[in-house]
C-alpha cells in the first residue's frame, strides 16, 4: 500500500508553514468534506470547540453537518507560529445560520503533523459573535 503524502512536509520553514496554511484555507473554503479530510491522517484527532472527533469518517460527517448549518461560509487563516512539525494559526470566518442570522467566528488552531505532512492532531478554540449582514468583512 502506497503511503499518503500531503505536501509540504515537516520540518516546516516559515515559507512552507504559510503554504500549508493557505492550502488548508483553500480546502476549507471549498466546503468539500472529502477534500478537506484528505489533509488529515485516517486516525486524526480533533478537538473542535467542545466536540471530540476521531478519524476521517467522523471529520467528513462533522464537516457535512457544519456546512449544512453554516451557509455562505468564508474563512481566512493567518500564520501565528510554527515548529518543525507544528503550526499555530489564528482565523476568522463568517457564515449565516438557517434562520438568516450572520456570525463571525474567531479562533485559534494548533496543528501537529506526521512525517508525511498529514495532520494528526487539530485543536481548535472558537468563539462566535452575531453580526449584522452589513458588518461582514469576508
Amino acid at each position: 500500500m502506497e503511503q499518503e503524502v500531503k505536501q509540504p512536509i515537516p520540518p516546516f520553514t516559515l515559507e512552507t508553514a504559510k503554504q500549508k496554511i493557505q492550502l488548508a484555507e483553500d480546502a476549507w473554503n471549498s466546503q468539500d468534506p472529502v477534500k478537506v479530510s484528505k489533509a488529515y491522517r485516517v486516525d486524526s484527532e480533533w478537538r473542535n470547540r467542545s466536540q471530540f472527533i476521531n478519524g476521517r469518517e467522523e471529520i467528513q460527517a462533522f464537516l457535512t453537518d457544519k456546512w449544512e448549518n453554516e451557509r455562505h461560509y468564508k474563512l481566512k487563516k493567518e500564520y501565528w507560529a510554527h515548529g518543525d512539525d507544528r503550526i499555530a494559526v489564528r482565523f476568522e470566518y463568517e457564515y449565516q445560520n438557517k434562520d438568516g442570522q450572520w456570525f463571525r467566528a474567531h479562533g485559534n488552531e494548533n496543528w501537529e503533523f506526521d512525517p508525511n505532512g498529514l495532520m494528526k492532531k487539530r485543536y481548535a478554540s472558537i468563539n462566535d459573535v452575531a453580526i449584522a449582514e452589513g458588518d461582514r468583512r469576508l
Side-chain angles (χ1 to χ4, degrees):
M1 185 168 112
E2 186 177 325
Q3 284 198 334
E4 293 178 86
V5 175
K6 193 74 168 177
Q7 297 288 340
I9 61 172
F12 296 115
T13 64
L14 176 60
E15 180 183 337
T16 60
K18 287 184 174 182
Q19 182 183 8
K20 198 74 151 174
I21 293 165
Q22 187 62 58
L23 290 167
E25 177 183 307
D26 293 346
W28 280 70
N29 279 326
S30 77
Q31 297 178 45
D32 180 339
V34 173
K35 178 180 180 177
V36 172
S37 74
K38 298 289 185 179
Y40 301 91
R41 287 173 51 118
V42 295
D43 61 349
S44 184
E45 297 175 17
W46 282 22
R47 182 188 53 77
N48 195 84
R49 302 175 192 255
S50 62
Q51 208 170 353
F52 293 86
I53 301 156
N54 294 290
R56 279 192 188 154
E57 287 184 21
E58 288 185 20
I59 290 169
Q60 290 173 13
F62 168 82
L63 293 173
T64 297
D65 184 62
K66 173 184 181 64
W67 290 318
E68 285 175 2
N69 293 295
E70 295 180 4
R71 300 170 178 189
H72 310 291
Y73 176 93
K74 179 69 175 163
L75 166 72
K76 181 65 184 155
K77 292 184 181 285
E78 293 181 11
Y79 172 87
W80 187 259
H82 78 280
D84 286 345
D85 65 348
R86 296 177 183 200
I87 300 173
V89 299
R90 70 158 298 281
F91 64 87
E92 66 180 28
Y93 64 87
E94 293 174 347
Y95 66 92
Q96 187 180 37
N97 70 10
K98 289 182 177 180
D99 296 327
Q101 174 63 55
W102 282 93
F103 291 88
R104 182 174 301 119
H106 302 269
N108 300 295
E109 290 178 317
N110 297 312
W111 302 339
E112 183 178 352
F113 295 88
D114 72 10
N116 291 331
L118 294 166
M119 196 180 301
K120 61 182 179 179
K121 295 184 181 180
R122 173 186 174 264
Y123 301 112
S125 298
I126 307 166
N127 299 303
D128 295 300
V129 178
I131 60 172
E133 185 172 5
D135 291 335
R136 293 175 53 212
R137 295 193 294 232
L138 301 177

